[in-house]
Amino acid sequence: MKRVWLAALLPLLGACSMPLIESAGISIAPQSLQLSAPELNVAVGGSGKVTVSVVKDCISPEEQADADIKPANLTPDGCHYDEGGTITDQVENVWVGTEFSSTPEPSVYDPNPKPETWYSGKLPAGLAIQWAKQPAGQQRGEVLLLGKHGDVSTTELTVTATSQVQPGTYVLHVTDNSSTQGLLHNVVLTVNVTPPVPTTITGISASAQPSTIIAGETAQLGASLTGTGNFDRSISWRVVSGGGTLSSDSGSTVRYQAPTQATTAVIRAASAARPSVYTDVTVSVRPPVVSGVSVSAAPISVPSGGSSLLKATVSGSTGVNPAVTWSVVSGGGTLSSTSGETVTLTAPTGPASVTVRATSVADSSKSATVTVEVAAPAPQPGNAQLTGTVVNWNPAWTGGQVSLETVNADHTGLTVLSGVATNGSFTLPLPVPATLDPYTINVGQSCTKDVQPTDLRVGGGSLYVTHDGVKHHLDSEGQPPLSFLIYVDRPGSVNAQCTSTYTLPDGTVMTEQVEYRYTFTAAGWFPVYLTVSQPNPTTTVYTHTSGPLSGAPTRYVVSQPVATP
């Protein structure tokens, strides 16, 4: 049934203290009003809740057609209102109160008014009510009639028995109007107020989430008390054993911070009002987790017998044990210690590749290795030599000699000689040159160079072979050909490029590029090889590269005679 208000009754209703007045005509209304429970049992000092449900009753097209007055903004389905393009729903007033009667004053419209029954009377002393989303103590609540015809909407009513109320039974009325005038629904709510429950704390429960954590991590602790009456629910916390800290010493929930080592922590939750009521929570703290190990070496390349500082870093969870054990996996050498964040590796005689492993003490399955390259030892003065065979040697030749002839900047020279056997074999001693000059490059029209160290000093020379009184160039067999031998006074490197150009009679510009790519691992002699390439018809590139003496060519051929001035 729709709520219908007659305009002619408004003056009469105005004579009463009506809390609800609506426009004449029809409106969307509840089809029914129900409570989740017909009665509440509430102890003095306690409270109870009841859910009020209403079923939406939309206005059908037929009812709209029969109505004398209908809302101009009603939607066609009769379930909503269209407020300028905004669709809204009916807000239904619901009331809670006690029943009482009153007789309106006589008027020209009704000279002999009859008593009316109202349901918005004052609440019994000591009973307090609270509608959801409404001010405390207000007897009127609101339900928004959502959805379509027949849908259920609800609100919640809380009834509290304060200390001023007397135990007994109280009858309240929940309606969707405040009087018999236009009354649609009236539901009785019986409130049984019982004597106050004695305040007693009977127990406590607590838990940890998670109950097993890794050192340095945290766990959420929660606790709740049980009891009767309006008891104090405050909880206090403390760490009994195992270490660690708490985010707070009170509250229903706190956070436990584990120490950085493995332990079993016992945390006590107790009633703040009654400390004898307590329970203990156990949190198992596992050792920190090792996620990996990394190792570095400085320097990564050392001379024979040199040293390198090795450093290990253990990564993982908070408080992870940084300790490692060290061991030489391969290549030889000795370590200053088998433990510690850093150790010193003393390299063996090279050439060698020394691999060292660092293993986590906390988790032996986690380890890492580093490899240190060890250079060959520097040749001892007077001990270096070049051995080989002149493959096209004629046993009939006489006076055979192989020579390394060095010429220095001051034009002093050193000639080293070796006899040639009848089978063409020779052993040429390579002493340290008596005079060494700073390394310089002065080739071509422009040069870029990087010499390390900048004060590197060198000497050098080319190979010759003499027989029957005639000196010839001695060339190596194979590619790339040996160009000359160079002596350096210390480890170093040379990276240089020199470029020059010239013009042919036909106007073609030719370019010559000379490159030097040397690596010297120690003081001593090094063979230098020459590679010639032509990337295009007008450019020629001459590339000099160095190598170890141990890899010098062993097969040679007698070449063209040396031109005499």
Side-chain angles (χ1 to χ4, degrees), residues 13 55 127 130 152 159 197 230 288 291 318 352 441 444 527:
L13 300 179
V55 178
L127 278 185
Q130 171 80 62
V152 178
V159 180
V197 178
N230 189 22
S291 59
T318 303
I441 298 175

Side-chain angles (χ1 to χ4, degrees), residues 6 8 13-14 56 110 148 181 194 214 223 230-231 233 276 317 356 365 369 380 412 422 424 457 478 509 527 533 559:
L6 301 179
L13 300 179
K56 188 171 186 177
D110 188 359
K148 61 185 182 300
Q181 294 289 342
T194 58
I214 296 173
N230 189 22
F231 62 89
R233 298 178 182 272
S276 60
S317 59
V356 179
S365 68
T369 60
Q380 297 297 318
T412 61
T422 56
R457 301 180 68 83
V509 177
S533 61
S559 185

Side-chain angles (χ1 to χ4, degrees), residues 59-70:
I59 305 172
S60 68
E62 293 77 15
E63 290 172 318
Q64 296 181 45
D66 293 340
D68 295 330
I69 303 174
K70 71 172 183 179

Side-chain angles (χ1 to χ4, degrees), residues 93-182:
N93 293 317
V94 288
W95 294 81
V96 63
T98 56
E99 179 182 336
F100 72 97
S101 296
S102 66
T103 302
E105 294 291 333
S107 68
V108 294
Y109 299 103
D110 188 359
N112 297 304
K114 295 180 180 180
E116 292 184 358
T117 300
W118 298 77
Y119 298 103
S120 58
K122 293 182 179 179
L123 298 174
L127 278 185
I129 59 100
Q130 171 80 62
W131 285 104
K133 301 181 181 179
Q134 301 299 321
Q138 177 175 291
Q139 291 178 242
R140 179 181 60 83
E142 294 181 351
V143 181
L144 187 61
L145 300 181
L146 298 171
K148 61 185 182 300
H149 180 80
D151 284 352
V152 178
S153 299
T154 63
T155 188
E156 191 172 69
L157 174 65
T158 301
V159 180
T160 301
T162 69
S163 58
Q164 285 75 35
V165 72
Q166 294 297 317
T169 299
Y170 299 88
V171 177
L172 305 181
H173 291 263
V174 179
T175 70
D176 56 4
N177 204 336
S178 60
S179 77
T180 54
Q181 294 289 342

Side-chain angles (χ1 to χ4, degrees), residues 303-305 349-351 375-381 383-384 487-491 521-526 549:
S304 293
T349 300
Q380 297 297 318
N383 292 342
Y487 180 88
V488 295
D489 67 342
R490 74 196 78 176
T521 56
W525 287 95
F526 294 85
L549 184 62

Side-chain angles (χ1 to χ4, degrees), residues 179-430:
S179 77
T180 54
Q181 294 289 342
L183 178 65
L184 294 181
H185 305 100
N186 173 24
V187 181
V188 173
L189 174 62
T190 301
V191 180
N192 299 312
V193 179
T194 58
V197 178
T199 299
T200 305
I201 299 174
T202 58
I204 185 172
S205 61
S207 63
Q209 294 295 330
S211 59
T212 300
I213 59 177
I214 296 173
E217 294 185 344
T218 63
Q220 184 79 17
L221 308 180
S224 61
L225 291 164
T226 57
T228 60
N230 189 22
F231 62 89
D232 187 347
R233 298 178 182 272
S234 301
I235 297 172
S236 63
W237 297 86
R238 69 183 179 92
V239 178
V240 177
S241 62
T245 59
L246 297 171
S247 60
S248 175
D249 60 2
S250 62
S252 59
T253 61
V254 296
R255 185 161 288 277
Y256 169 71
Q257 174 75 52
T260 56
Q261 68 275 358
T263 185
T264 298
V266 178
I267 304 99
R268 178 163 296 174
S271 164
R274 189 181 173 193
S276 60
V277 177
Y278 67 87
T279 186
D280 291 337
V281 179
T282 299
V283 178
S284 298
V285 182
R286 295 167 53 193
V289 175
V290 178
S291 59
V293 179
S294 61
V295 185
S296 63
I300 198 67
S301 298
V302 297
S304 293
S307 63
S308 178
L309 182 65
L310 310 183
K311 181 179 180 179
T313 302
V314 178
S315 57
S317 59
T318 303
V320 66
N321 185 357
V324 297
T325 57
W326 296 89
S327 60
V328 176
V329 178
S330 62
T334 58
L335 297 171
S336 60
S337 175
T338 58
S339 62
E341 180 184 4
T342 60
V343 297
T344 298
L345 168 69
T346 300
T349 300
S353 295
V354 179
T355 299
V356 179
R357 184 185 304 278
T359 302
S360 166
V361 171
D363 185 351
S364 60
S365 68
K366 301 296 191 299
S367 65
T369 60
V370 66
T371 299
V372 177
E373 298 297 332
V374 183
Q380 297 297 318
N383 292 342
Q385 60 186 19
L386 176 70
T387 60
T389 300
V390 182
V391 296
N392 61 346
W393 185 259
N394 188 337
W397 288 342
T398 61
Q401 283 186 329
V402 170
S403 62
L404 172 70
E405 300 185 16
T406 65
V407 178
N408 300 304
D410 60 359
H411 301 291
T412 61
L414 170 67
T415 300
V416 181
L417 302 176
S418 169
V420 181
T422 56
N423 63 354
S425 63
F426 65 89
T427 299
L428 182 68
L430 298 175

Side-chain angles (χ1 to χ4, degrees), residues 426-480:
F426 65 89
T427 299
L428 182 68
L430 298 175
V432 176
T435 303
L436 297 175
D437 298 318
Y439 187 90
T440 59
I441 298 175
N442 188 18
V443 178
Q445 299 166 338
S446 64
C447 291
T448 60
K449 60 182 178 180
D450 178 22
V451 178
Q452 298 296 333
T454 56
D455 58 348
L456 185 69
R457 301 180 68 83
V458 301
S462 301
L463 292 175
Y464 301 92
V465 61
T466 301
H467 68 84
D468 298 309
V470 180
K471 182 187 292 186
H472 297 256
H473 294 283
L474 184 63
D475 296 339
S476 63
E477 187 179 61
Q479 295 295 326

